Amino acid sequence: MGYFPVHSFQYHIAARLNAALPSEHKLPIESVAPTARAFVRTLNVLLKFSRLYGLEHTRSARQFDAAWDELQKSVEVAGSTGMLLGVSGSQLLLDGVPLESTPAERSFANLLNSAGVASICFQPQVTREDFANLTRAFIESGPRAGTLSERLERYFGEENNSGIRVNEVRFVAEDSAYTEARVAAQLTIKSLGAEADRVQDWFSSPEKMIQLIAAAEGAHGGAGASGAGAGLGPGLGPGPGPGAGPGQGSGSGTVATAGTGSVLNLAMGFAPSSVAGGGAGVPLEEADVQSLLRLLAQFGEAAHGKAGISLEQGAWQQKLASLPTSAQVTLRQALATMVASSPSAKLDEAALLRLAEDLAIRFALERFQRGEVKVNAVRQMLDRMGQELATLRKLLRAREEKMASAGLSVESHGDLLDRQFWASVPESGKRAVLTSEEAWCIPPRNVQQYVEELLGRGESDAAGDVLLKYASCVQNKDAEARKKAAIGLGQLAELYSKAASQRLQEALAQIGQQLAAEKEIELQTLLSAAFVRLSQEAALRRYYRAMQQALDSLADLEEQRPSWALSLRPRTGVENRVPEFIEEALAAEAIPEGLTGVLTRLPQSAGEHLAIRLARSGRRSERENIVQLARACGGGCARHLKEMLKSAPVAKAAVAVGLLSRLDSLAVEDLLPERLRHSGRSFHDAAVRQLSIAGAPERGRLLSDSLELLDAMVLPLALDEIGMCGDVETAPKLLRLAAGEILPQASEYLRVKAIEALGRMRAPAAAGHLRLFVEARKAFGWLYAEEIRTAAAQALRKLDPEWIQKFLPQSGLDDKVLALAPLDPIIERDVVRHRRYRRIKLPRNVPAVVTSARGKQSSVISVLSLEGGLLSGETQLAVGTEATLKIPAGLRSISMQAVVRFVRPHQAGFEMVSMGLEDRAKLRRLLVSLGGPEVSSRNS
């Protein structure tokens, strides 16, 4: 099984993949593949079904098939690195991304925690049998099944060539050397009969254990002769006293106190020299500590009722007497300290394990502080001593699993041990190790504690150096070091983002380099998870420089392993936050430093979201900020927009038109006609609106060149926009349209629109043609329709006001009707689209009949203009609906073609796209009669 070996400062390493984020910092669930999320849910249900009905039951079998199918899909999506299911507290994580925390997910996470499982890696070669074994490991029960951790070891131990890799949070595995020692220590148990309970008490009381040691010393002429002290009274600390138990020899009886400086008194209050000096001035050697630990393990087995372990007092006296003198004294002093600090203490599994581990750790720490061993040697020494504690650890693990299954919260004793050890290391030692090449040996929580202490003292540079050195361990030559560092980085990601943002960029660079170089699949998975977590933190905290580095690393990785980089990119959380970055940049006074670098590296996402955002802008200042941001992104943004306009689906291509017209109007001029030629009215309408919102100076020419290609229902909108942009170079074509020389099949309504556009743009060359429209006569009356003459007269008021003022008395035109004229753009107003005509809020609602594909509907109009209006009532019309509106006006209704532009509750806005000139003249007179020029001006 993929156990994490003990490092230099503890036996037990928390191997969680990701630190649990606070609720306000939870990342979007969408960062995790949907197939992987579905697999976790299905696996959880499978385990519940299998426990209830058994794995062979029909319901369980169906659920197994479903889970296996989803696992195959998930692993296929994950690629060569496989899929990593991890646990951090009560939070499940997939490839470093937190999953939604429902009761089912928390229950599953607690199950993994109680078994000491840090993560499960599903590799590409996983088989159906591997998955079945995983299920069996979780559901098997009974006296022979063992604990969950033992079942996982049986199915997925290192000897098994499985496609599932289980990483445990646990101590080093027991090896054969310890197994032999333990078997050799198992004596044939005697039949004690009624004395069994009394003898069992020897293994539950520290006082009686002290007496047992003293008896062993007295029987063999041991420490008592040297003053090491057999005279410890029951329940007392070190000092003179009577004999301790049966068989005890003589001895003056004080606990040895010779020597000073033992590190054991830092945490346990032992008498000086209890470890370093031994019991008779002889330094305690590693072999002595190992023999002492081995004996404590045998004590634990005996106290636990282990079959084959002798409970006879004499046998234990013999075992104690065989210990070196220094080890006997050390054990007795440790027990005496325990009695002194807690008279009611019991030697249960936890107490024995704590005692043994404290002895080992203090011995290692003292040797480290004296400079006798270096970090790696300390680690190896602890590994060796840790092998002697496997039995105690298993006993405690079984008890904790029972408590966890009963719903009780259990904190790992290894966690407590680790904190105790780290607290004993002096400041200089902590900094020396954390800034060395062996920093990966330190548990992440200890790194975090130390960094937070540095920050609390204002030493931010030192804190950053520690974190950077830790990150550099992912490039260590030792695979185990890289593995530990990758796991630790996932847990420290939030600390990097909070405390060392300037180092986050360098950390991502180092992980990225190792990602490209790493050959081992398991390490690729762990490095990916760390890279994802740090990238997500950079995106969450808006560290744009770090995000740039993450994207650069992905680009480098893409050259070597494109499929892997493709799977990592969406999980980093950078690309899917681009809309947020853009919104924040628009709200800020200036573009945040580094943001343009991020957007430059994401030209596709940046181009699309900026184009969408431009389409939603309502103010000119906002629009210009978007254009400025797009230009700062460089040519990649424009190139992607060109590709969108050229080959993307219609809806997506239309979005690109507006922003591209500001970045590269020549590209729009080249590509737009072809798209118009092969697209329908929806694209034509969207393209014209996008050009209007973007406000490019060239939009008049672009629209003028496209008039013959535009749908007839979109042409009125295009003509209005040509007039509003003020490009007089388009005047000749508008004059030809007004005269009927182009688009001969078009309605006369478009001729009126062209004349109004000529007036808006103040085209001097058009004045003579417009006078002709106003004054031309035929035998009986005027040559042109009233609405054409009215539109021309209104245009001449802007182009040749003196002439039209003189001609009006004989023109037959009503001055009040002429006052309802097209509006010019108001330059000082901070808006994107200026109003084309005065809008009149009617003093009374005007009835209207709406005929569409849904049939006839009766409605009323509350707001009306020469451009469109607002329907009120229970109308059921969708945006984009084409309809005919009829407004009663005398003997004959006013009829018009309209398109629904927006829908609100009980309201629908419509825009006129075509109507007869007589109907338009009647509409104009109706507006004058209902609101008049005075009302109109107040509502403009």
Side-chain angles (χ1 to χ4, degrees), residues 124-337:
Q125 66 269 26
V126 61
T127 65
R128 186 182 180 93
E129 182 60 26
D130 294 335
F131 184 51
N133 287 338
L134 180 68
T135 307
R136 294 188 189 100
F138 276 100
I139 66 172
E140 284 180 357
S141 60
R144 296 185 179 181
T147 64
L148 176 57
S149 58
E150 291 171 342
R151 297 196 298 271
L152 290 171
E153 164 68 18
R154 184 165 63 251
Y155 286 116
F156 305 106
E158 294 181 353
E159 295 80 7
N160 298 323
N161 187 19
S162 171
I164 296 178
R165 175 106 178 176
V166 179
N167 296 313
E168 271 198 306
V169 181
R170 58 160 286 171
F171 299 98
V172 293
E174 174 182 344
D175 66 0
S176 57
Y178 173 69
T179 302
E180 294 172 0
R182 180 163 55 85
V183 172
Q186 292 178 348
L187 305 176
T188 305
I189 187 168
K190 295 182 179 180
S191 177
L192 299 175
E195 296 183 356
D197 292 338
R198 181 179 62 81
V199 176
Q200 183 69 32
D201 289 341
W202 285 99
F203 304 101
S204 63
S205 169
E207 299 174 13
K208 294 184 178 181
M209 288 296 297
I210 292 172
Q211 295 174 18
L212 193 64
I213 297 170
E217 291 175 346
H220 293 79
S226 62
L232 283 169
L236 299 177
Q248 177 181 341
S250 61
S252 59
T254 58
V255 176
T257 58
T260 59
S262 173
V263 74
L264 282 174
N265 60 1
L266 292 176
M268 298 177 62
F270 293 175
S273 81
S274 59
V275 170
V282 180
L284 197 62
E285 299 295 335
E286 182 180 338
D288 300 338
V289 177
Q290 286 183 307
S291 63
L292 184 55
L293 299 180
R294 189 177 300 114
L295 184 62
L296 288 176
Q298 294 172 8
F299 278 150
E301 286 187 315
H304 197 70
K306 179 74 172 180
I309 301 296
S310 174
L311 296 177
E312 185 183 26
Q313 177 181 338
W316 285 106
Q317 286 181 352
Q318 183 178 359
K319 291 176 182 292
L320 289 167
S322 65
L323 287 175
T325 302
S326 56
Q328 293 180 29
V329 174
T330 296
L331 177 58
R332 184 173 57 195
Q333 291 177 338
L335 291 169
T337 302

Side-chain angles (χ1 to χ4, degrees), residues 48-60:
K48 293 179 180 178
F49 279 7
S50 300
R51 290 194 192 98
L52 288 173
Y53 310 114
L55 191 57
E56 305 304 325
H57 191 275
T58 304
R59 296 185 66 178
S60 301

Side-chain angles (χ1 to χ4, degrees), residues 64 133 156 171 210 241 276 380 540 560 582 636 659 685 743 847:
F64 180 88
N133 287 338
F156 305 106
F171 299 98
I210 292 172
Q380 295 165 3
L540 183 66
Q560 303 179 37
I582 292 173
L659 184 56
D685 183 80
L743 300 177

Side-chain angles (χ1 to χ4, degrees), residues 404-426:
S405 63
L408 300 176
S409 177
V410 179
E411 183 178 10
S412 168
H413 179 67
D415 292 342
L416 297 173
L417 175 67
D418 171 58
R419 287 197 295 273
Q420 177 188 357
F421 181 82
W422 183 248
S424 302
V425 179

Side-chain angles (χ1 to χ4, degrees), residues 716-902:
L717 177 63
L719 291 169
D720 281 344
E721 188 57 37
I722 293 172
M724 297 295 279
C725 74
D727 186 356
V728 295
E729 293 183 3
T730 62
K733 192 164 189 177
L734 293 179
L735 281 171
R736 293 178 61 200
L737 176 58
E741 297 177 7
I742 60 173
L743 300 177
Q745 305 301 322
S747 66
E748 291 188 318
Y749 178 72
L750 294 179
R751 299 177 65 185
V752 172
K753 284 288 187 178
I755 294 171
E756 291 177 344
L758 289 167
R760 282 194 176 107
M761 70 176 57
R762 307 295 199 278
H769 296 274
L770 295 176
R771 285 196 291 268
L772 179 62
F773 288 134
V774 175
E775 64 183 359
R777 301 179 66 94
K778 58 182 179 180
F780 301 100
W782 303 98
L783 179 60
Y784 293 99
E786 177 186 348
E787 191 61 19
I788 290 180
R789 296 182 67 238
T790 300
Q794 290 170 334
L796 285 168
R797 280 188 164 180
K798 301 171 182 178
L799 295 172
D800 195 351
E802 293 183 3
W803 182 88
I804 193 63
Q805 192 63 32
K806 293 178 182 178
F807 185 76
L808 275 180
Q810 55 184 324
S811 66
L813 298 174
D814 187 341
D815 192 55
K816 290 183 178 181
V817 172
L818 290 176
L820 194 62
L823 297 175
D824 294 328
I826 304 174
I827 304 301
E828 60 271 19
R829 292 188 64 187
D830 186 21
V831 295
V832 169
R833 297 186 75 244
H834 297 271
R835 190 169 296 163
R836 270 67 170 165
Y837 299 90
R838 290 192 179 100
R839 184 178 59 187
I840 298 174
K841 187 174 182 180
L842 304 178
R844 56 182 173 80
N845 289 339
V846 174
V849 176
V850 182
T851 305
S852 67
R854 299 178 64 93
K856 288 187 178 182
Q857 301 180 49
S858 296
S859 184
V860 294
I861 300 176
S862 56
V863 177
L864 191 60
S865 73
L866 288 174
E867 182 182 22
L870 186 65
L871 292 170
S872 299
E874 298 297 330
T875 56
Q876 297 181 353
L877 299 171
V879 175
T881 299
E882 301 176 25
T884 300
L885 270 67
K886 291 190 176 182
I887 303 173
L891 298 176
R892 184 172 172 271
S893 299
I894 301 173
S895 179
M896 64 190 73
Q897 298 297 313
V899 175
V900 177
R901 289 301 183 191
F902 65 85

Side-chain angles (χ1 to χ4, degrees), residues 590-762:
I591 299 176
E593 183 181 359
L595 174 58
T596 55
V598 173
L599 298 182
T600 300
R601 289 163 173 80
L602 297 171
Q604 297 183 4
S605 182
E608 291 179 23
H609 288 296
L610 284 169
I612 292 171
R613 187 60 183 83
L614 181 72
R616 293 191 290 106
S617 59
R619 297 188 176 278
R620 186 173 65 249
S621 56
E622 182 181 57
R623 176 190 69 192
E624 295 307 312
N625 288 339
I626 295 172
V627 173
Q628 178 188 0
L629 189 58
R631 286 174 175 160
C633 293
C637 181
R639 285 192 293 272
H640 179 63
L641 292 173
K642 285 171 62 176
E643 189 60 32
M644 285 175 60
L645 179 56
K646 181 179 180 180
S647 57
V650 170
K652 197 172 182 179
V655 173
V657 173
L659 184 56
L660 186 58
S661 70
R662 296 296 303 270
L663 302 179
D664 190 350
S665 61
L666 292 178
V668 178
E669 184 178 0
D670 179 49
L671 299 173
L672 183 59
E674 187 66 19
R675 287 310 299 256
L676 291 173
R677 192 173 290 112
H678 297 94
S679 303
R681 181 172 65 84
S682 61
F683 176 81
H684 294 193
D685 183 80
V688 173
R689 288 183 170 276
Q690 288 291 310
L691 289 171
S692 174
I693 292 172
E698 302 86 357
R699 68 187 185 281
R701 175 172 52 82
L702 293 172
L703 290 171
S704 175
D705 293 343
S706 303
L707 285 177
E708 292 87 350
L709 301 173
L710 291 172
D711 187 273
M713 299 186 74
V714 180
L715 281 171
L717 177 63
L719 291 169
D720 281 344
E721 188 57 37
I722 293 172
M724 297 295 279
C725 74
D727 186 356
V728 295
E729 293 183 3
T730 62
K733 192 164 189 177
L734 293 179
L735 281 171
R736 293 178 61 200
L737 176 58
E741 297 177 7
I742 60 173
L743 300 177
Q745 305 301 322
S747 66
E748 291 188 318
Y749 178 72
L750 294 179
R751 299 177 65 185
V752 172
K753 284 288 187 178
I755 294 171
E756 291 177 344
L758 289 167
R760 282 194 176 107
M761 70 176 57
R762 307 295 199 278

Side-chain angles (χ1 to χ4, degrees), residues 514-590:
Q514 189 59 34
L515 277 173
E518 188 58 60
K519 303 300 182 185
E520 296 188 23
I521 292 180
E522 183 184 6
L523 284 175
Q524 290 175 2
T525 304
L526 294 172
L527 286 169
S528 297
F531 185 82
V532 166
R533 284 290 293 113
L534 289 176
S535 300
Q536 289 174 342
E537 284 296 326
L540 183 66
R541 305 283 178 179
R542 305 301 191 257
Y543 296 144
Y544 294 112
R545 297 292 183 190
M547 283 185 258
Q548 290 180 34
Q549 180 59 60
L551 294 171
D552 287 342
S553 297
L554 284 174
D556 294 340
L557 184 64
E558 198 165 21
E559 294 180 0
Q560 303 179 37
R561 302 172 182 175
S563 59
W564 188 14
L566 189 63
S567 68
L568 279 178
R569 188 175 291 274
R571 286 167 30 210
T572 59
V574 176
E575 194 161 350
N576 59 4
R577 290 184 183 270
V578 167
E580 299 175 25
F581 300 158
I582 292 173
E583 289 298 329
E584 292 167 8
L586 295 178
E589 295 182 358

